[in-house]
Amino acid sequence: MKLATLGPAGTFSEVAAGLFQPEQDHDIQLLDNLVSCLESVGRECDAAVVPIENLTEGFVSPVVDYLVQRPLRIQAEIRIPVGFQCLSNSTKPTQIWAQFVAAGQCNSYLHKLGLPIIHTASNAASLQALLAAEEASAAIVPQHISCPQTLQVLNNNIADNPRNETRFVVLSAASEEPEYRKDEHWKSSLLLIDDNDHPGLLVDSLQVFAKQQINLTSIVSRPAGSQFGDYHFFIDFDGHRSELGVASALEELAAMNNIHWLGSYPAAEIGKQ
């Protein structure tokens, strides 16, 4: 299988892609941006492994918005810890390189360090800039990247939230879903598309889940782009569509909403598919 994911080499996305069906030798394609990864699905690549939610930053809006326009199927989810370290070529650096998202997740450490921050396009670019630097410098680098021999670790755990993690999904254009096994914990995802708005639409939809005692694990609204007040809703919940309660809820939801079904898939534990 050819998998698209966000490059360059060394990204958390590449780590996540490597955890998908590790017993199989997938061809991982590292692309420049999320849209390219999503556009490649069903075309140049069989599937894409993309981040959809971070524990501290929330949902990845470009991915949710793309699924509104092209409802790909979620084949699996992968959760990985997101930790950062500070590497340096000196005990007293005078500047530090950091990718902008990484900088936001290590804000407290950077504030205490008090150095000028040079923003980069990726964590790999931060490390490469440090390796090429002649002046005393530092860089924020993911914890899973080994410290090169020419550098030293100033601090090996600098994230504001030491328990931070990112949830990735494997997206495919195929309609087939993973085989249902009763002994596994399943999740499902869908989009409620706002083209039949009326007072109480969201409340009515949520009550459908409550009536069937289905646990919602997340719900996020995204602007429909038509006018203020119009929103689409991305919803994750526990259960598989073949289960009686879920099937009944979906039938009732379909009678009042335009639904983009995104799939049922095994719920992941951190560090595993």
Side-chain angles (χ1 to χ4, degrees):
M1 180 182 290
K2 185 175 288 188
L3 296 176
T5 199
L6 190 62
T11 61
F12 291 110
S13 294
E14 185 186 29
V15 172
L19 291 172
F20 176 59
Q21 299 176 340
E23 71 282 359
Q24 299 185 29
D25 187 19
H26 295 312
D27 178 11
I28 299 176
Q29 302 289 307
L30 300 176
L31 304 183
D32 291 339
N33 56 73
L34 280 176
V35 173
S36 295
C37 293
L38 295 165
E39 288 287 347
S40 72
V41 176
R43 295 158 183 161
E44 298 85 5
C45 295
D46 301 295
V49 180
V50 295
I52 197 166
E53 184 182 12
N54 178 265
L55 192 62
T56 58
E57 301 287 332
F59 274 82
V60 182
S61 298
V63 175
V64 176
D65 292 343
Y66 186 89
L67 292 175
V68 173
Q69 305 302 322
R70 187 185 177 208
L72 300 170
R73 294 296 181 89
I74 300 176
Q75 300 293 329
E77 71 171 4
I78 302 157
R79 293 166 52 191
I80 65 170
V82 175
F84 294 96
Q85 58 185 330
C86 181
L87 305 185
S88 180
N89 59 12
S90 168
T91 56
K92 295 182 178 180
T94 59
Q95 61 183 4
I96 186 166
W97 280 280
Q99 191 260 1
F100 72 96
V101 174
Q105 296 181 3
C106 303
N107 185 62
S108 296
Y109 180 79
L110 288 172
H111 180 72
K112 291 177 182 177
L113 207 58
L115 297 178
I117 302 171
I118 305 171
H119 291 288
T120 63
S122 68
N123 292 310
S126 298
L127 178 57
Q128 291 304 314
L130 176 58
L131 288 169
E134 296 182 357
E135 61 271 43
S137 306
I140 291 178
V141 177
Q143 284 179 328
H144 64 260
I145 295 179
S146 300
C147 179
Q149 292 184 346
T150 56
L151 303 177
Q152 58 185 296
V153 180
L154 290 187
N155 193 309
N156 64 3
N157 190 3
I158 62 172
D160 294 345
N161 182 357
R163 299 174 61 185
N164 194 20
E165 62 178 277
T166 294
R167 180 165 70 105
F168 291 79
V169 289
V170 181
L171 295 172
S172 168
S175 60
E176 294 83 4
E177 295 184 345
E179 181 182 355
Y180 177 55
R181 296 176 294 276
K182 290 185 178 181
D183 59 341
E184 289 196 37
H185 176 198
W186 290 84
K187 289 177 64 177
S188 297
S189 300
L190 57 80
L191 280 156
L192 298 183
I193 304 301
D194 184 6
D195 58 5
N196 185 29
D197 193 21
H198 64 264
L201 173 62
L202 180 58
V203 173
D204 292 344
S205 300
L206 297 182
Q207 285 178 342
V208 171
F209 290 102
K211 183 167 62 177
Q212 298 294 337
Q213 297 185 322
I214 296 171
N215 180 49
L216 299 184
T217 57
S218 59
I219 178 169
V220 62
S221 62
R222 292 299 302 155
S226 51
Q227 62 181 359
F228 288 114
D230 289 350
Y231 292 91
H232 306 306
F233 296 94
F234 177 91
I235 298 176
D236 289 324
F237 57 92
D238 286 331
H240 190 281
R241 70 183 303 178
S242 65
E243 296 169 359
L244 183 59
V246 174
S248 297
L250 292 177
E251 183 178 358
E252 191 171 347
L253 281 172
M256 66 177 74
N257 297 289
N258 178 9
I259 295 176
H260 284 184
W261 176 249
L262 301 177
S264 295
Y265 47 92
E269 299 177 16
I270 189 166
K272 299 179 181 178
Q273 178 190 329

